[in-house]
Amino acid sequence: MPNRPVRLLIAGAGSRGTGYARFAEQHPDRARVVAVAEPRAGARERLARSHGIPAANVFRDWREAAARPRLADAALICTQDADHADPAVAFAGLGYHLLLEKPMAPSEADCRRIVRAVEEHGVLLAVCHVMRYTAHTRKIKELLDSGLIGD
């Protein structure tokens, strides 16, 4: 574990990005949000304000953040599903470790491109599957496991 909080760049300040950023609020000794990239002004400004992100690290688009030298330890890719591959590849190329929302990308080719970038640049990649822990998903699994509604 590092001697300082892990610095995070949030690409996509919707419900997922904001939810992950909340961890930093609850555990400031473990993580700190230092940059945000989000096209929607309201969501971008809310996240920037709640984490005290300096204006120089608040971006309208992930490309603006990727054009700068690395300013965090990890990038959390919480953009729309179809927009995961390009930022993941770009941030991996800059040496960011990645937390990537599922699905990795809508095509096998883009998934493979992400894996190649991660391997080439020696960064960590984690793909989030948070829905499996929701109450409704657990209930469906319980019903399936019981045989009540089929295989």
Side-chain angles (χ1 to χ4, degrees), residues 27-109:
H27 304 279
D29 57 318
R30 297 182 68 191
R32 196 172 123 231
V33 178
V34 299
V36 61
E38 165 61 51
R40 295 168 304 145
R44 180 178 63 244
E45 291 162 9
R46 265 190 306 281
L47 196 129
R49 217 177 16 258
S50 68
H51 291 274
I53 300 170
N57 290 354
V58 177
F59 307 98
R60 283 182 236 161
D61 185 88
W62 67 263
R63 291 167 193 84
E64 293 175 6
R68 297 259 314 272
R70 191 174 129 207
L71 38 95
D73 303 305
L76 281 60
I77 311 297
C78 305
T79 56
Q80 296 295 311
D81 293 354
D83 299 325
H84 286 179
D86 289 339
V89 169
F91 288 123
L94 292 168
Y96 286 87
H97 298 294
L98 302 176
L99 182 69
L100 179 59
E101 256 307 306
K102 59 104 182 114
M104 285 177 65
S107 73
E108 180 181 347

Side-chain angles (χ1 to χ4, degrees), residues 126-140:
V127 179
C128 298
H129 293 275
V130 297
M131 296 299 287
R132 71 178 55 197
Y133 301 109
T134 62
H136 68 275
T137 302
R138 287 194 317 253
K139 184 61 176 178
I140 290 169

